[in-house]
Amino acid sequence: MKKISLILTSILLMSALAACTSNSSTTEQPATTPTTENTGTGNPAATNPEATTPTEGATSTDPASTESASAQNAKIVANKKVVASMYQDVLNGHQADKIDMYLADDYKEHDPMIATGKEAFKTYIASFIKANPDYKVNVKGMIGQNDLVAVMNYPMANPDDPGQAAVDIFRVTDGKIVEHWNTVQSVTGASSMIQNLLPSASTTADVAATDKAIVASNAQFVSNFFNSFFVEHNTDAASGVVSESLVQHNVKMKDGIEPLVNNYLAQFRANPDSTATVVNMVAEGDMVLIQSQMKKNADDAGQSVVQIFRVENNEIAEMWMLSQDVPAKTVNENGMF
């Protein structure tokens, strides 16, 4: 199972990175595959010779590359505007009749509680808003890459609702939303703790000014780490890649590299057949977002897990994570992935 998961993950990661690196003047870095699996042996603080680092000062100097990057940015901006307007008009404006403006006729839904298709979504939203007239979504930020837009947000049924932390990922084609995935985690605790569950990013349709070469390098850097650490259970991969002073937003873990390594070392020992399969990947600016299906074993339905990594000074400096159990039954036939 683990080898199959690694193959699927590598294919998805390389596909997501291809368009990003096509506008880069840097050489694509190959994904690392550890020769030995670390599920409890070895020194977690040992140097990882296979780790690659983001390119410092990388720039796109080829005029054709610059033009292509500009065109790509324009597409991302347009996609973000579609998604942002849908939130404003439909989810926060409670205008279900405007759904036709934003969703494609062949809209595909992965939310386990909503049937697939534009008309089904329209029916669900109209009913939900009627039952929750004070419903509001507080958008904390958006990032986009290629045809995907990821929205970090806090939906609330009413002002007294502690709410949920959510990441919604939309695929946009020809100005219409054609597919949607989400991962939603209920939240408890102080409001300051809740607000730290997701990163802050621009809520406008602008694209971060970070050069495409650096974005591509960051994405490759994180994908290498994800493959080695989460897919192959090689906790040595954190050394030299994750900052010693890592800022951790997972409420179950403390800051620093050591708690991260120790936590997953225990998990991998307890679940040696666990797998992590990438579903979506979005990189913009200094952030790389990965949605994956994580399973303890072949019989486990698993969880939808969204991890967001911030890269700074050639290291993973900050991490966020949301998770949602995959239900035994879903309203639509598409499943969560």
Side-chain angles (χ1 to χ4, degrees):
M1 286 296 296
K2 198 173 296 175
K3 290 183 178 179
I4 294 173
S5 177
L6 175 59
I7 293 171
L8 291 173
T9 300
S10 297
I11 292 172
L12 282 161
L13 286 170
M14 295 310 295
S15 176
L17 290 165
C20 189
T21 55
S22 66
N23 292 317
S24 166
S25 62
T26 60
T27 302
E28 182 178 311
Q29 302 166 0
T32 60
T33 303
T35 55
T36 58
E37 180 180 73
N38 178 15
T39 58
T41 60
N43 177 10
T47 301
N48 177 13
E50 294 180 317
T52 56
T53 57
T55 304
E56 294 184 276
T59 57
S60 297
T61 55
D62 182 1
S65 175
T66 302
E67 182 179 358
S68 179
S70 298
Q72 188 179 37
N73 281 350
K75 177 182 176 181
I76 295 171
V77 167
N79 291 345
K80 283 185 174 182
K81 285 182 177 179
V82 170
V83 172
S85 295
M86 190 275 292
Y87 271 82
Q88 179 179 333
D89 291 343
V90 177
L91 299 182
N92 285 334
H94 296 184
Q95 301 177 77
D97 58 322
K98 288 192 175 182
I99 287 175
D100 288 331
M101 295 172 56
Y102 303 112
L103 268 60
D105 291 337
D106 57 349
Y107 172 73
K108 188 174 183 179
E109 180 63 73
H110 292 277
D111 186 314
M113 303 302 294
I114 306 175
T116 198
K118 181 176 70 173
E119 293 305 316
F121 184 80
K122 191 185 301 184
T123 299
Y124 174 85
I125 288 296
S127 175
F128 182 84
I129 289 173
K130 184 177 180 180
N132 300 276
D134 295 324
Y135 177 73
K136 182 180 180 181
V137 181
N138 296 313
V139 175
K140 194 163 185 185
M142 294 189 297
I143 59 173
Q145 183 182 22
N146 304 326
D147 59 353
L148 296 179
V149 177
V151 182
M152 289 80 77
N153 63 91
Y154 296 100
M156 299 175 64
N158 56 68
D160 297 323
D161 179 18
Q164 299 169 311
V167 171
D168 291 271
I169 301 174
F170 301 89
R171 186 183 303 282
V172 183
T173 301
D174 297 329
K176 292 290 183 75
I177 297 170
V178 298
E179 196 165 6
H180 168 243
W181 301 260
N182 65 346
T183 300
V184 182
Q185 180 175 308
S186 296
V187 297
T188 57
S191 59
S192 58
M193 181 184 297
I194 293 170
Q195 290 299 313
N196 282 329
L197 287 174
L198 291 170
S200 295
S202 175
T203 58
T204 69
D206 297 334
V207 177
T210 309
D211 190 273
K212 292 296 182 185
I214 296 176
V215 175
S217 184
N218 288 344
Q220 185 69 69
F221 182 62
V222 170
S223 72
N224 288 350
F225 169 71
F226 188 94
N227 265 328
S228 295
F229 194 92
F230 293 103
V231 177
E232 282 294 286
H233 299 181
N234 177 20
T235 54
D236 284 348
S239 180
V241 173
V242 177
S243 171
E244 293 287 341
S245 56
L246 171 73
V247 178
Q248 177 63 258
H249 294 273
N250 185 334
V251 295
K252 296 180 180 179
M253 276 188 271
K254 295 181 179 179
D255 290 344
I257 186 174
E258 188 174 350
L260 176 76
V261 169
N262 290 341
N263 176 79
Y264 282 101
L265 195 56
Q267 288 193 39
F268 297 152
R269 283 173 173 170
N271 303 284
D273 295 324
S274 61
T275 59
T277 304
V278 172
V279 179
N280 286 304
M281 180 176 179
V282 185
E284 182 184 340
D286 59 359
M287 291 185 183
V288 181
L289 179 152
I290 293 178
Q291 180 198 12
S292 65
Q293 180 182 19
M294 292 194 173
K295 302 173 64 174
K296 293 180 179 179
N297 52 61
D299 298 323
D300 179 29
Q303 294 181 314
S304 175
V305 178
V306 169
Q307 292 165 294
I308 304 170
F309 307 84
R310 185 176 65 82
V311 180
E312 180 182 359
N313 297 327
N314 301 338
E315 292 181 318
I316 294 173
E318 201 164 0
M319 289 178 64
W320 296 261
M321 187 182 83
L322 296 183
S323 62
Q324 179 182 352
D325 290 339
V326 176
K329 294 182 179 181
T330 62
V331 175
N332 64 66
E333 66 275 15
N334 301 320
M336 290 190 71
F337 309 105

